[in-house]
Amino acid sequence: QSVLTQPPSASGTPGQRVTISCSGSSSNIGSDYVYWYQQLPGMAPKLLIYSNNQRPSGVPDRFSGSKSGTSASLAISGLRSEDEADYYCAAWDDSLSDVVFGGGTRLTVL
Amino acid sequence: QVQLVESGGGVVQPRRSLRLSCAASGFTFSSYAIHWVRQAPGKGLEWVAVISYDGSNKYYAESVKGRFTISRDNSKNTLFLQMSSLRAEDTAVYYCARDGVGGGYGDCDYWGQGTLVTVSS
């Protein structure tokens, strides 16, 4: 069981806006930055969002992150077929002194 | 360009040891913390360990504490993971990943391609 909780699946049609939630606690999301990763099939993960809502160079602005209290969200607007992937949230946990990951959300583009 | 290349994976018997390496290039290795993250077949990502830029701080997941040791050789731009007392549940693709400059540990901005470790008799 993961320390951070994500829905196992999400879906949307091309052009739609989809959000993926990530729920944690005061020792991780509530007190530290949230990170989001995209993992395409058969590939290594890729950093999508860091420091709650910052995009690395090269990540389209269709991807956005937000955080409120002990929860965070990843939003993908203008959904495309190439967005079909697994998405993971992560944060440092002050109590565990660990990086904790969510269980992952498989996004399907219908 | 930034590159991380893992090596050392393979098939190993339970209770045996294995050492993974991660060769870094394209950036100042000695300025960055580096993580090991693993992914069991068909499962999600699991963080394993992180080492600070100078090796002075190391943190481990509870599942590997006391069995795995992370280390680095900044003169050779190489990260290591010494794994001992291996178990079937350690079977996974092991990735090394650079910790970025976003603040705190967790923003892994560059990843290697991974190396598969299979623990089986």
Side-chain angles (χ1 to χ4, degrees), chain A residues 48-98:
Chain A
L48 269 186
I49 298 288
Y50 67 95
S51 300
N52 302 329
N53 55 18
Q54 302 299 301
R55 283 185 307 276
S57 173
V59 172
D61 59 7
R62 301 187 298 106
F63 295 89
S64 62
S66 63
K67 183 181 108 167
S68 178
T70 59
S71 294
S73 292
L74 173 72
I76 309 171
S77 60
L79 200 60
R80 298 183 177 186
S81 58
E82 57 260 38
D83 297 333
E84 193 160 279
D86 293 326
Y87 293 85
Y88 296 89
C89 58
W92 177 257
D93 190 293
D94 290 329
S95 296
L96 299 172
S97 293
D98 283 5

Side-chain angles (χ1 to χ4, degrees), chain B residues 65-84:
Chain B
K65 209 170 285 184
R67 300 188 300 123
F68 290 11
T69 301
I70 189 171
S71 62
R72 64 191 298 161
D73 184 340
N74 283 347
S75 68
K76 296 182 178 178
N77 292 346
T78 304
L79 173 77
F80 302 101
L81 185 68
Q82 180 67 47
M83 305 184 294
S84 60

Side-chain angles (χ1 to χ4, degrees), chain B residues 37-93:
Chain B
V37 178
R38 68 184 182 183
Q39 188 169 35
K43 302 296 184 182
L45 300 175
E46 181 188 14
W47 176 79
V48 173
V50 63
I51 185 168
S52 61
Y53 70 99
D54 61 355
S56 61
N57 292 303
K58 304 174 186 180
Y59 300 96
Y60 298 91
E62 195 62 38
S63 58
V64 307
K65 209 170 285 184
R67 300 188 300 123
F68 290 11
T69 301
I70 189 171
S71 62
R72 64 191 298 161
D73 184 340
N74 283 347
S75 68
K76 296 182 178 178
N77 292 346
T78 304
L79 173 77
F80 302 101
L81 185 68
Q82 180 67 47
M83 305 184 294
S84 60
S85 302
L86 283 162
R87 306 166 180 167
E89 53 265 37
D90 295 318
T91 294
V93 173

